Amino acid sequence: MILESLLELSPLALVAVAGWFWYDSMRARERAVRLGRETCRRENLLFLDDTVALDAIAFARGGGRLVLRRTYRFEFSDTGNNRLKGSVTLSGERLELISLDPHSAYESGTTLLH
């Protein structure tokens, strides 16, 4: 009896978890786009294609709890006619790292921690 009730609820639970994951992923992606765009603006760089791509996702500890660590990559330009790589790493909602390939404005590149 109880097992039957659990089996009836499991598809609903699966749909709820999938919906939460999709919603959380969209929010994280939007945050990564905003952070990449703001970093490029602040560094006088061009944020290309106005988008990011998910590069990696894993579980991590954040603030004493289990969170998803997502790394997004993006492209930027320092001259307008080249494409360089950057990345944004989020642990849950917290910004962990923004990294930019070396470019003409810096000899060794820029890595920003927040």
Side-chain angles (χ1 to χ4, degrees):
M1 185 86 147
I2 294 175
L3 183 59
E4 289 176 11
S5 296
L6 289 175
L7 289 175
E8 289 175 7
L9 290 177
S10 60
L12 183 59
L14 188 60
V15 169
V17 168
W20 168 84
F21 180 74
W22 176 82
Y23 177 75
D24 189 59
S25 295
M26 291 298 102
R27 284 186 46 212
R29 183 187 169 285
E30 289 171 9
R31 181 163 166 70
V33 167
R34 188 174 64 253
L35 290 166
R37 187 183 302 124
E38 289 171 359
T39 299
C40 287
R41 183 180 38 77
R42 189 172 47 251
E43 300 292 326
N44 293 318
L45 302 168
L46 299 171
F47 183 69
L48 300 176
D49 305 326
D50 203 37
T51 192
V52 297
L54 183 64
D55 194 42
I57 187 169
F59 288 104
R61 283 270 176 213
R65 60 187 183 106
L66 196 60
V67 296
L68 287 174
R69 175 182 287 146
R70 295 175 173 100
T71 300
Y72 295 90
R73 59 181 155 65
F74 62 92
E75 292 183 329
F76 68 95
S77 178
D78 57 351
T79 64
N81 57 2
N82 62 354
R83 294 181 91 81
L84 301 167
K85 297 190 183 314
S87 67
V88 174
T89 301
L90 301 171
S91 286
E93 293 185 13
R94 185 179 66 82
L95 173 62
E96 189 173 299
L97 175 73
I98 295 179
S99 179
L100 302 174
D101 275 353
H103 51 283
S104 64
Y106 298 95
E107 291 182 14
S108 62
T110 300
T111 300
L112 304 172
L113 296 172
H114 291 274

